């Protein structure tokens, strides 16, 4: 049985909302893993979060998203350096929390689609991922590059593009992070794309086509499970649903209506659904 988790931003309204009480909410809903958005690592009380994880008997996974001030693909050297420094702090945070991975948009700025210079930016991303991979290796954390839909990113929209990038970065500490919401938009066939990622798959987000919790849309979960089983995936399955239109989180994820009447109940149904339909690989 694969461990099932939930991204804690499910319950956040603003990005700086305290994560600590959300660990218990994830556990009460039936999850094994709490996924932390590591957006401002230096502001987090990591020791306290780790103590709460241990107290609740919960595992951790971590993700982040670069922005235009911290972008390892930027033409501006100081912005690239800020990006690497942010990745270092995120890797250190992941190690303290006991997360085996740092996933998310860790290669360009999330949501930024630069009009030009994309070839140069790709080269900078590769160069700095190689540097970040050495830091990741030092801490025993895998960097997992999230393949994103075209409206949120430009560098890797498909598994094929992700694999091409991985080949150029060429580090055993860099893998792919797939997310069923993005796969549903970009891939011809979700299960085939998971098989194509194969042993390069390091992290997995479970979410419906409409960004509701798994089980409330039309993602072919049986096919997802079979593909994960076939490739021998042994990482976490993390629910990453966004259901609340309020605040910074709702705005950033383009949620304009409520996608869950009772978010706590929906979280519980997601944990049950994933354990029953997907985690038994
Ligand atoms: C955003 O679309 C997403 O899927 C997140 O995992 C990015 O960090
Ligand atoms: Mn995701």
């Amino acid at each position: 049985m694969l461990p099932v988790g939930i991204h804690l931003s499910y319950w956040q309204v603003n990005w700086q909302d305290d994560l600590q009480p959300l660990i218990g909410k994830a556990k009460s809903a039936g999850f094994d893993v709490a996924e932390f958005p590591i957006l401002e690592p230096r502001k987090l009380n990591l020791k306290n979060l780790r103590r709460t994880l241990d107290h609740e008997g919960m595992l951790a996974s971590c993700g982040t998203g670069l922005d235009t001030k911290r972008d390892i693909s930027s033409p501006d050297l100081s912005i690239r350096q800020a990006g690497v420094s942010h990745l270092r702090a995120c890797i250190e945070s992941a190690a303290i929390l006991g997360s085996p991975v740092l996933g998310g948009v860790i290669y360009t700025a999330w949501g930024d689609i630069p009009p030009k210079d994309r070839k140069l930016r790709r080269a900078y991303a590769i160069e700095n991922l190689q540097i970040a991979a050495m830091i990741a290796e030092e801490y025993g954390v895998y960097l997992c590059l999230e393949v994103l839909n075209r409206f949120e990113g430009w560098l890797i929209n498909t598994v094929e593009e992700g694999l091409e990038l991985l080949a150029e970065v060429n580090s055993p500490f860099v893998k792919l992070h797939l997310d069923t919401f993005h796969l549903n938009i970009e891939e011809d066939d979700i299960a085939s794309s998971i098989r194509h990622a194969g042993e390069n798959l390091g992290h997995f987000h479970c979410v419906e086509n409409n960004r509701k919790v798994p089980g409330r849309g039309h993602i072919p979960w049986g096919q997802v499970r079979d593909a994960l089983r076939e490739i021998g995936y042994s990482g976490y399955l993390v629910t990453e649903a966004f259901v609340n239109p309020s605040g910074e989180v709702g705005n950033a994820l383009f949620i304009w209506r409520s996608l869950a009447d009772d978010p706590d109940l929906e979280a519980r149904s997601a944990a049950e659904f994933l354990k029953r339909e997907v985690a038994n690989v």
Side-chain angles (χ1 to χ4, degrees), residues 64-65 104-105 110 146 148 152 177 179 182 205 211 240 253:
T64 191
V105 194
W110 180 38
E146 185 164 20
L148 278 190
E152 296 181 49
H177 165 179
D179 173 318
H182 303 300
H205 276 169
R211 264 198 161 133
E240 194 202 36
L253 276 303

Side-chain angles (χ1 to χ4, degrees), residues 8 11 17-27 49 52 56:
L8 296 180
W11 286 289
D17 290 352
D18 191 4
L19 296 167
Q20 199 238 346
L22 306 182
I23 300 169
K25 277 173 96 66
K27 170 150 184 172
L49 292 174
T52 307
E56 299 280 10

Side-chain angles (χ1 to χ4, degrees), residues 13 16 82 163:
V13 171
Q16 295 310 315
L163 290 173

Side-chain angles (χ1 to χ4, degrees), residues 268-280:
R268 200 166 309 142
S269 98
E272 280 168 15
F273 180 86
L274 286 179
K275 285 182 186 167
R276 190 177 67 241
E277 304 287 338
V278 194
N280 51 337

Side-chain angles (χ1 to χ4, degrees), residues 7 35 104-105 146-148 152 177-182 204-207 211 238 240 242:
H7 192 295
E35 178 151 315
V105 194
E146 185 164 20
V147 176
L148 278 190
E152 296 181 49
H177 165 179
L178 300 186
D179 173 318
T180 48
F181 176 77
H182 303 300
F204 201 77
H205 276 169
C206 298
V207 51
R211 264 198 161 133
V238 174
E240 194 202 36
F242 294 101

Side-chain angles (χ1 to χ4, degrees), residues 176-198:
L176 291 186
H177 165 179
L178 300 186
D179 173 318
T180 48
F181 176 77
H182 303 300
L183 296 178
N184 178 64
I185 293 173
E186 298 296 345
E187 301 288 350
D188 298 343
D189 183 273
I190 293 177
S192 311
S193 71
I194 294 169
R195 282 193 205 94
H196 192 36

